[in-house]
Amino acid sequence: MSRLCSALSALALALYLAAPASLAMLPDDADLDPDIPSPADVLGFEPGDRHVRHDELVRYFERLADASPRLHLEVTGRTHGGRPLLLAHFHADGSADRIDTLRDARASGARDGDGPLVVWLGYSVHGNEASGAPAAMQTAWYLAAARSDRVARLLEDAVVVIEPVLNPDGMDRFSSWVNDNRGYHPNADPNDREHREGWPNGRTNYYWFDLNRDWLPLVHPESQARLDHYYRWLPHVVTDVHEMRHHTTYFFQPGVPSRNNPLTPEENYRLTGELARYHARALDALGKEYFTEELFDDYYVGKGSTYPDLTGGIGILFEQAATRGHVMDTPHGQRIFHDAIRNQFATSLSTLEGAHDLADELARYQRGFFEDARAEGGRAGHAGWVLGDGGDATRAHRLVSLLVAHDLEVHPTNGPVTIDGREYARGWVVPAAQAQYRLARSLLDPATEFPSEVFYDVSTWWLPAIHDVPVTTASRLPAHARSALQEVPMPSGRLPADDDAVAWLIPWNQQGAPAALDRLLEAGAVVRVAKQPLQVDTDRGTRSLLRGALVLPTGADQPDLDALLQPLVGSRGLTVYSTDSGLTLSGPDLGAPSLPVLEPIRPLLVTGRDLNPLSAGQIWHWFDTFLDRPLTRVEWTRLHTVDLGEYTHVLLPDGDYTRLQPDLHQQLVAFVEGGGVLVANQAGADFASHLPFAEPLSGAADPEAVDDTANDEAPPEARAYDDHEIDQARLRMAGAILEMEIDITHPLGFGHERDTLPVFRRGLTRLEPGDNPYSRPGRYTADPVLSGYMSEQRREQLAGIPALLSDHRGHGVVIRIADDALFRGFHAGTWRLFANALYFGPVIQHRTLPD
């Protein structure tokens, strides 16, 4: 009986979906080799019958590689979740030796216009945009099995590189959800549980990051592995296969013409338009609706369809309207998963057909791209960029390593460099006259002029400011090494060798200091923090230490300091000094009561529905990979079951807090008044501003106040209907780098030598000053925008207002941060600010203006 029920259920599913077999997706002339297995042969189901898991996809590609001499398969790395990252190479001779030979010749071939056509097909960077992965499998089967003349000619002339899944961890999170919530009779209602993933959903990677913004930051192993191979192949065409909301149809580039990146050559857009004709013809043949030049742009260089445009290729974005399951009702009729796969497969083939037909033009374009870029750099008006270490060689190392990973020509200087009147011990130069000049300009120059006021993503990514590293242009570059860096060695750190020392000293203005502090506190070490600058005789001579320096007495009760800190010397470049006297040359002595003993932290991160998983993920990732420690994450719907008294800090990410019930508000108030530290970020800071403390936080609006001026305001002047998009854009803060004045005497400013700091601004959070002048350690400058777009209205609103607030309530403190201090996991210039909130928040003293 159970077999009969199963058979009837399977029949019902098949009849309901009316699914086309994978064979029906193939061109009529495919002439398949029967010895090459299809996805259904290996997996036991047709693409679209259910959502493929990543291990199933890997199994299929491995079987395909065993069966086909056209395919060379490589594992380029592993995700945070341990899943293999695949890269499949198709050529008439797919042997490893032949692929290696072709790849080794690509750097010179790309610049000379020689060698085979290279097309890179990338799928499913967002794990819940699920039609990409099965389309990749279908495309791979076709290239491996088809014996048609068109495929034979293509593979004689080209190398096709398939990245079947850019986000395996997110893909498995989504496929598990959908497959586990599908019934025998799939539900087409968009409100059904199958189509409504739980938080944080499968779009993001293991740490809840958007990998389609990580082409530039290179924070994650998926992106790092990809870019290494990208520059070894320098493809002519790169595709980026996505899904969008279900109420649309199908998009392919060109995007909105007025929002193109101005550094992309016009010829790129012409060739994009030529390729678009092939996509249109393929979708017309299927009777599918589609559109171009709306919704999506080609501006932010860190996206998969824009990065190639600034590095010598043609990037193409595809967006299929989603089913987010197996079948869904849409304004365009009922859409089934098979159809979404078919569309993606069709435009994969149209990309290959168009690129093959345009191969000579693409080769000429790529050769000209590099020649023109070098020539443009030669007449840039300067010889190149000069970078200094900014007083933190490890933070500068992150930036320089990132530039080298992006194939920029970077040389170390032969000695110190001077930027804006200050000398830095280490320096680097980036010549303007180089093949990747356009990318260098995009990364190293501030963004001050824009083709549009509307941005799909951020409006700036000025890397020196993001890393708080000084940069300038120079008409003549300082003396530097002749050879460009291939890799960037970690700055050498050191531990003291003085057995008679009475204390070890860790300067706080080095990137490895927070991880060192956490490691020490967890081991039970006694660590004091200097709240005043110190001048100390050390084993390396007289040293001046900024506020925030850590003092480790070397008494018998201390754990083995050498064993605790030695790993960070190599991995983080940690430098530690020693002294044989507790007396200082200036500043408090090392045993003074003004140097409080720090306590271990036990933070809790609030997560869950309506909160921003990107913001929460950044915090989790920072703890796990930068501090090297775990972080407790609790969904807010469970918060009432948790005793917050067991934690030292509660961390609020960006997000929508309107659903949090009043009892949770009271729970957070009690936590702070009992001695806890509440660190609230972006919209979380807005929420914290209105917690029901007996004395409202500084700058919190009085909920009982009545705005008597509202009725006196004149109605706005009439506007053109089409002005709505621009008017909306002028109110948004899509992403700009602002300058914050920071009080370096305040614990939240410890470790900063300068009193200004670049911060990354996103969202509409606005902190008001309040009555306590000591609660405002960070505020925007009078003219705050360093790089990026912001309307005049928003500039005026932010000028001079707080960006950072700290308020005592009861025995605890509330710290509100308006900006994204951990932006995309690579805004290293503000990591210290976040660390200060954690470790020094408890030592902030309550101060009010004297009568």
Side-chain angles (χ1 to χ4, degrees):
M1 186 67 175
S2 61
R3 288 184 180 179
L4 177 60
C5 289
S6 297
L8 290 174
S9 298
L11 178 62
L13 174 63
L15 291 173
Y16 182 85
L17 292 176
S22 56
L23 288 172
M25 298 186 187
L26 299 173
D28 293 338
D29 64 348
D31 186 21
L32 298 174
D33 183 342
D35 293 331
I36 305 298
S38 70
D41 292 335
V42 175
L43 304 182
F45 60 90
E46 291 285 352
D49 282 358
R50 68 176 179 81
H51 286 252
V52 65
R53 299 191 314 266
H54 185 255
D55 64 291
E56 294 172 326
L57 180 141
V58 170
R59 178 155 51 95
Y60 177 66
F61 271 87
E62 289 174 344
R63 285 281 302 276
L64 199 62
D66 289 342
S68 173
R70 297 174 175 177
L71 169 57
H72 173 62
L73 186 66
E74 294 180 355
V75 175
T76 62
R78 291 192 176 267
T79 69
H80 291 297
R83 294 174 175 86
L85 297 164
L86 300 186
L87 210 57
H89 307 81
F90 290 87
H91 184 62
D93 177 0
S95 66
D97 288 345
R98 180 58 177 159
I99 294 299
D100 285 343
T101 299
L102 292 172
R103 182 164 46 198
D104 291 344
R106 273 301 295 154
S108 59
R111 288 165 172 79
D112 297 337
D114 295 333
L117 169 73
V118 180
V119 180
W120 184 301
L121 305 178
Y123 300 87
S124 295
V125 68
H126 295 144
N128 59 2
E129 298 175 4
S131 57
M137 297 167 67
Q138 189 78 1
T139 304
W141 176 41
Y142 175 68
L143 292 176
R147 294 178 291 192
S148 64
D149 289 343
R150 79 165 99 182
V151 172
R153 288 193 301 271
L154 171 70
L155 296 183
E156 282 291 339
D157 300 338
V159 175
V160 179
V161 182
I162 291 182
E163 191 174 10
V165 179
L166 280 70
N167 181 6
D169 294 338
M171 171 187 170
D172 270 3
R173 189 184 306 135
F174 176 70
S175 62
S176 295
W177 176 274
V178 173
N179 291 334
D180 288 350
N181 285 285
R182 182 194 70 174
Y184 286 127
H185 304 277
N187 193 332
D189 184 349
N191 293 312
D192 182 64
R193 179 177 170 83
E194 180 185 350
H195 307 294
R196 301 286 178 174
E197 296 170 80
W199 194 94
N201 78 41
R203 176 183 175 89
T204 54
N205 80 335
Y206 190 89
Y207 285 104
W208 312 336
F209 279 65
D210 186 337
L211 289 179
N212 197 38
R213 306 297 184 267
D214 197 48
W215 282 72
L216 171 58
L218 298 182
V219 169
H220 300 285
E222 299 92 335
S223 308
Q224 295 163 8
R226 179 188 317 113
L227 208 69
D228 176 55
H229 286 264
Y230 174 90
Y231 277 112
R232 294 174 70 188
W233 278 112
L234 287 170
H236 297 90
V237 176
V238 178
T239 68
D240 187 20
V241 173
H242 287 257
E243 290 182 358
M244 55 186 164
R245 293 185 178 182
H246 71 281
H247 60 264
T248 50
T249 56
Y250 194 96
F251 168 85
F252 51 85
Q253 285 181 315
V256 180
S258 62
R259 287 156 45 188
N260 289 331
N261 192 303
L263 294 176
T264 302
E266 284 300 318
E267 179 68 1
N268 179 292
Y269 298 119
R270 187 191 71 80
L271 288 167
T272 300
E274 289 297 314
L275 289 169
R277 298 176 186 275
Y278 290 83
H279 312 320
R281 189 159 58 237
L283 294 174
D284 285 339
L286 295 175
K288 301 298 182 182
E289 295 179 285
Y290 54 84
F291 66 97
T292 65
E293 299 190 346
E294 288 188 32
L295 297 183
F296 303 99
D297 65 28
D298 239 347
Y299 187 77
Y300 170 52
V301 72
K303 293 192 306 169
S305 58
T306 306
Y307 188 86
D309 294 341
L310 265 68
T311 54
I314 308 290
I316 308 290
L317 171 67
F318 297 98
E319 294 273 359
Q320 162 68 45
T323 62
R324 287 294 190 268
H326 295 85
V327 59
M328 182 184 280
D329 291 330
T330 80
H332 305 274
Q334 196 169 87
R335 181 179 295 119
I336 61 174
F337 189 34
H338 298 93
D339 279 346
I341 298 170
R342 180 197 285 251
N343 293 343
Q344 304 282 35
F345 175 61
T347 53
S348 295
L349 298 195
S350 65
T351 298
L352 296 175
E353 180 186 5
H356 193 208
D357 288 351
L358 299 171
D360 291 342
E361 290 187 64
L362 291 168
R364 284 195 298 271
Y365 167 75
Q366 191 172 66
R367 181 187 65 203
F369 177 95
F370 294 122
E371 291 176 351
D372 294 346
R374 189 176 293 276
E376 287 178 25
R379 55 178 184 270
H382 59 82
W385 295 266
V386 181
L387 300 164
D389 63 21
D392 184 347
T394 308
R395 192 173 68 246
H397 170 268
R398 297 184 71 93
L399 170 59
V400 177
S401 298
L402 186 58
L403 297 177
V404 171
H406 284 293
D407 204 37
L408 297 190
E409 185 183 328
V410 184
H411 304 256
T413 58
N414 294 341
V417 297
T418 300
I419 299 175
D420 294 333
R422 179 174 172 182
E423 184 176 274
Y424 298 97
R426 296 176 179 84
W428 300 265
V429 299
V430 182
Q434 61 171 292
Q436 293 293 2
Y437 164 72
R438 293 185 178 101
L439 182 63
R441 184 178 163 191
S442 174
L443 304 185
L444 296 174
D445 282 348
T448 56
E449 297 180 357
F450 309 95
S452 170
E453 295 178 279
V454 181
F455 301 88
Y456 185 77
D457 196 69
V458 297
S459 65
T460 183
W461 44 92
W462 186 25
L463 292 189
I466 282 172
H467 291 81
D468 193 24
V469 167
V471 64
T472 189
T473 55
S475 57
R476 182 172 181 175
L477 297 178
H480 56 272
R482 167 174 277 182
S483 298
L485 291 167
Q486 300 302 309
E487 59 183 41
V488 187
M490 173 65 70
S492 57
R494 62 174 294 277
L495 293 183
D498 182 3
D499 293 335
D500 298 324
V502 301
W504 284 14
L505 306 168
I506 302 178
W508 189 244
N509 58 328
Q510 52 180 330
Q511 191 112 111
L517 174 57
D518 194 82
R519 183 177 286 232
L520 290 164
L521 295 177
E522 289 298 306
V526 175
V527 185
R528 297 179 180 272
V529 59
K531 299 172 72 174
Q532 298 293 329
L534 303 177
Q535 192 174 53
V536 186
D537 271 337
T538 76
D539 59 332
R540 288 297 182 97
T542 301
R543 295 287 167 175
S544 296
L545 303 177
L546 301 176
R547 290 176 172 87
L550 305 178
V551 179
L552 286 67
T554 56
D557 292 337
Q558 290 282 49
D560 187 341
L561 301 180
D562 192 282
L564 284 170
L565 297 180
Q566 186 62 51
L568 298 179
V569 171
S571 65
R572 305 291 179 92
L574 183 71
T575 293
V576 183
Y577 302 108
S578 67
T579 181
D580 58 8
S581 174
L583 292 175
T584 64
L585 301 178
S586 68
D589 295 326
L590 301 186
S594 59
L595 276 68
V597 175
L598 299 174
E599 298 292 336
I601 64 170
R602 192 175 182 203
L604 179 151
L605 173 65
V606 179
T607 65
R609 184 180 63 181
D610 297 335
L611 303 188
N612 185 344
L614 303 177
S615 175
Q618 289 169 182
I619 297 172
W620 175 29
H621 176 264
W622 189 80
F623 271 84
D624 210 24
T625 65
F626 178 67
L627 291 183
D628 295 329
R629 60 159 294 149
L631 174 65
T632 297
R633 296 153 292 151
V634 176
E635 299 213 0
W636 63 262
T637 52
R638 288 189 51 248
L639 205 58
H640 67 282
T641 69
V642 175
D643 179 5
L644 295 184
E646 296 181 358
Y647 300 90
T648 59
H649 296 65
V650 170
L651 313 178
L652 302 181
D654 186 35
D656 182 358
Y657 286 81
T658 55
R659 290 179 188 261
L660 267 69
Q661 299 301 311
D663 59 331
L664 297 181
H665 299 196
Q666 294 292 347
Q667 187 181 12
L668 292 173
V669 167
F671 165 75
V672 172
E673 292 180 341
V677 178
L678 182 67
V679 182
N681 301 274
Q682 298 175 273
D686 285 327
F687 166 71
S689 295
H690 298 93
L691 287 173
F693 291 99
E695 178 189 352
L697 294 179
S698 59
D702 181 355
E704 304 298 326
V706 177
D707 183 1
D708 294 328
T709 65
N711 294 328
D712 298 334
E713 294 180 2
E717 295 182 3
R719 299 280 293 164
Y721 185 78
D722 269 359
D723 286 342
H724 177 263
E725 184 179 39
I726 294 296
D727 291 340
Q728 191 174 46
R730 288 170 180 164
L731 294 178
R732 291 183 65 225
M733 297 188 197
I737 298 173
L738 307 188
E739 185 175 52
M740 180 179 73
E741 292 179 358
I742 188 165
D743 178 2
I744 61 176
T745 74
H746 193 284
L748 294 180
F750 283 0
H752 293 98
E753 188 170 3
R754 300 189 336 271
D755 62 0
T756 58
L757 181 68
V759 295
F760 202 91
R761 176 75 189 194
R762 297 193 81 185
L764 301 178
T765 298
R766 176 184 168 92
L767 303 179
E768 299 295 344
D771 297 329
N772 188 344
Y774 303 113
S775 71
R776 300 173 291 211
R779 52 206 167 274
Y780 301 116
T781 58
D783 185 14
V785 179
L786 295 174
S787 181
Y789 171 78
M790 186 171 289
S791 67
E792 285 301 320
Q793 178 184 352
R794 291 302 192 199
R795 288 172 184 248
E796 293 173 2
Q797 290 174 342
L798 292 181
I801 71 168
L804 181 64
L805 291 173
S806 69
D807 292 273
H808 267 270
R809 290 297 179 269
H811 298 287
V813 64
V814 179
I815 297 170
R816 287 171 285 167
I817 305 172
D819 300 303
D820 196 347
L822 304 180
F823 174 65
R824 290 184 178 164
F826 85 129
H827 203 290
T830 44
W831 288 358
R832 184 180 299 119
L833 182 68
F834 199 80
N836 288 351
L838 293 174
Y839 297 103
F840 303 152
V843 304
I844 299 173
Q845 295 175 323
H846 181 44
R847 292 181 176 173
T848 58
L849 195 65
D851 290 338

